[in-house]
């Protein structure tokens, strides 16, 4: 969990400090007050570009000095660490207990997963969005997944540039890049498959309350990828991109109780399927690592009736630290008394 969060020149937060506890953390306030900015800051402690996927330069406060800082005190059992993220201005700088660390180092200490209103369309968006969602699930169980994904993407970009060059590429160099893609691609595929299998086991026995999802991976699991890449150089050069590999796969989700694809389910059913996946994943991470993930749920209660809100809050109880935002504090009246609630107004935060 996080016990303390400090934002400096972060979007509309000039200097914000939040002290929280285990369980529920609620941020309530008007649209544009800065609630989601806080969740985004927490999400940037995980590998990647956060829940908005924004450029670092777009995050720094307009009236600030061009950079920003996020400092978090992390508590795991008896261990307490301080993680710091800063930008200068387009370079991501990570420190743990004052020592410079890699961008992915914090993922070894805790995991973060989020749901935002934009993700309500996950099942009808392009396959890249579902791959990104799946990879965040994988990362919580296999922190090395970020390394393999980064190395695979880097090798693929270099290969694509070589194939696009009018000068014939050195076949030895191409072979080395394709070998790296094959090795890292195999690790990516194995980690994704293991996560999907474990989630399916968990979802099959999930209690009622949320739609049950079935997960499969479609495509991208080619055998002997390095050879297939070598054989497809002419084809990929003509296409201007690499046409085989795990970057082409898709996460296919089925509404098990109705036996239909999530893509043709109702909006409410799609949201329920997402909730079910996230809750199953949180329980899986807690069982495997002993550390429940931090959940960031943006505007999660806005379109739920009181009965479904109560069911959601009940399901979230005990799964770890859960950060939620909403425009009205009344939306969270059903939470236990231990919930920590804040009011957000124009980048200023006060305790309820």
């Amino acid at each position: 969990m996080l016990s303390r969060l400090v934002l400096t020149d972060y979007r509309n937060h000039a200097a914000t400090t939040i002290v929280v506890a285990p369980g529920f953390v609620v941020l309530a306030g008007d649209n544009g007050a800065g609630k989601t900015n806080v969740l985004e800051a927490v999400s940037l402690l995980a590998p990647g570009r956060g829940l908005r996927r924004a450029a670092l330069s777009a995050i720094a406060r307009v009236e600030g000095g061009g950079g920003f800082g996020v400092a978090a005190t992390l508590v795991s059992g008896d261990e307490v660490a301080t993680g710091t993220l800063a930008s200068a201005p387009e370079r991501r700088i990570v420190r743990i207990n004052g020592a410079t660390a890699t961008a992915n180092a914090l993922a070894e200490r805790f995991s973060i997963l989020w749901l935002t209103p934009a993700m309500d369309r996950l099942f009808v968006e392009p396959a890249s969005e579902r791959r990104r969602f799946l990879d965040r699930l994988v990362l919580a169980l296999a922190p090395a997944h970020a390394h393999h994904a980064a190395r695979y993407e880097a090798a693929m970009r270099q290969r694509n540039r070589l194939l696009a060059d009018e000068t014939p590429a050195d076949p030895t160099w191409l072979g080395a890049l394709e070998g790296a893609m094959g090795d890292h691609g195999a690790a990516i595929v194995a980690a994704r498959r293991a996560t999907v299998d474990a989630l399916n086991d968990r979802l099959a026995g999930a209690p009622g309350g949320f739609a049950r999802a079935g997960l499969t991976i479609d495509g991208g699991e080619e055998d002997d990828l390095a050879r297939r890449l070598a054989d497809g150089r002419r084809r990929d050069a003509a296409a201007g991109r690499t046409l085989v590999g795990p970057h082409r796969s898709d996460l296919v989700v089925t509404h098990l109780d109705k036996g239909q694809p999530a893509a043709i389910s109702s909006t409410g059913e799609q949201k329920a399927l997402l909730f079910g996946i996230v809750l199953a994943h949180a329980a899986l991470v807690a069982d495997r690592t002993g550390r429940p993930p931090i959940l960031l749920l943006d505007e999660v209660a806005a379109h739920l009736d009181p009965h479904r809100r109560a069911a959601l809050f009940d399901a979230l109880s005990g799964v770890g630290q859960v950060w939620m935002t909403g425009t009205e504090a009344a939306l969270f009246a059903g939470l236990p008394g231990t919930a920590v609630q804040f009011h957000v107004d124009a980048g200023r935060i006060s305790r309820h």
Side-chain angles (χ1 to χ4, degrees), residues 115-134 136-137 199 203 211-216 250-256 260-278:
L115 287 179
T116 68
M119 292 173 64
D120 287 352
R121 293 180 50 80
L122 180 70
F123 302 123
V124 295
E125 292 285 350
S128 59
E129 296 300 318
R130 289 182 292 279
R131 280 197 304 275
R132 190 172 294 119
F133 174 70
L134 173 59
R136 286 202 300 273
L137 302 180
L199 275 174
L203 287 162
R212 292 187 308 129
L215 313 178
T216 57
D250 191 4
L251 175 66
V252 179
V253 179
T254 302
H255 189 323
L256 291 179
Q260 68 182 23
I264 64 171
S265 297
S266 71
T267 302
E269 288 172 331
Q270 290 176 353
K271 184 182 283 286
L273 288 166
L274 266 177
F275 282 147
I277 293 170
V278 168

Side-chain angles (χ1 to χ4, degrees), residues 7-320:
L7 309 183
T8 303
D9 285 336
Y10 192 98
R11 293 198 185 269
N12 69 335
H13 293 271
T16 292
T17 298
I18 305 174
V19 177
V20 294
F24 292 100
V25 179
V26 173
L27 303 168
D30 294 339
N31 292 328
K35 307 182 300 295
T36 305
N37 294 343
V38 176
L39 298 194
E40 180 190 40
V42 176
S43 75
L44 284 174
L45 297 171
R49 295 172 58 187
L51 59 82
R52 284 193 177 111
R53 296 189 55 76
L56 295 178
S57 59
I59 295 173
R61 193 170 66 96
V62 174
E63 298 83 358
F68 68 85
V70 179
T73 302
L74 316 173
V75 180
S76 179
D78 295 330
E79 181 184 9
V80 179
T82 300
T84 305
L85 166 68
S87 73
E90 278 292 351
R91 187 164 62 93
R92 183 184 180 115
I93 303 168
V94 177
R95 294 186 178 91
I96 300 177
N97 293 333
T100 302
T102 65
N104 299 329
L106 288 171
E108 299 174 2
R109 296 173 177 263
F110 73 120
S111 57
I112 303 173
L113 189 65
W114 55 83
L115 287 179
T116 68
M119 292 173 64
D120 287 352
R121 293 180 50 80
L122 180 70
F123 302 123
V124 295
E125 292 285 350
S128 59
E129 296 300 318
R130 289 182 292 279
R131 280 197 304 275
R132 190 172 294 119
F133 174 70
L134 173 59
D135 284 339
R136 286 202 300 273
L137 302 180
V138 175
L139 186 61
L141 295 166
H145 186 66
H147 165 75
H148 291 297
R151 299 273 54 83
Y152 177 89
E153 292 287 341
M156 182 170 63
R157 285 195 299 270
Q158 292 183 59
R159 178 179 181 270
N160 288 344
R161 282 197 295 268
L162 288 175
L163 292 177
D165 198 328
E166 294 181 1
T167 303
D170 178 358
T172 301
W173 181 229
L174 275 175
L177 292 172
E178 289 159 353
M181 289 178 66
D183 292 341
H184 292 296
I188 291 169
V189 167
R192 285 175 175 172
R193 187 184 298 132
T195 298
V196 165
D197 289 346
L199 275 174
N200 279 332
D201 288 344
R202 178 77 59 168
L203 287 162
F210 294 97
R212 292 187 308 129
L215 313 178
T216 57
I217 298 174
D218 181 27
E221 299 192 357
E222 290 83 1
D223 294 330
D224 198 0
L225 178 58
R227 178 188 59 78
R228 295 199 61 186
L229 290 168
D231 292 344
R233 290 173 186 173
R234 186 184 301 274
R235 174 204 61 210
D236 291 349
R241 62 188 187 278
T242 300
L243 296 176
V244 296
H247 66 287
R248 304 282 292 176
S249 66
D250 191 4
L251 175 66
V252 179
V253 179
T254 302
H255 189 323
L256 291 179
D257 298 316
K258 286 195 170 183
Q260 68 182 23
I264 64 171
S265 297
S266 71
T267 302
E269 288 172 331
Q270 290 176 353
K271 184 182 283 286
L273 288 166
L274 266 177
F275 282 147
I277 293 170
V278 168
L279 290 172
H281 179 263
L284 180 61
V285 171
D287 286 351
R288 292 280 185 88
T289 69
R291 301 188 305 267
I294 294 173
L295 300 183
L296 309 176
L297 307 179
D298 193 22
E299 301 290 349
V300 69
H303 303 294
L304 297 177
D305 59 46
H307 175 73
R308 291 188 181 275
R309 279 203 303 271
L312 175 64
F313 296 158
D314 184 62
L316 290 169
S317 295
V319 301

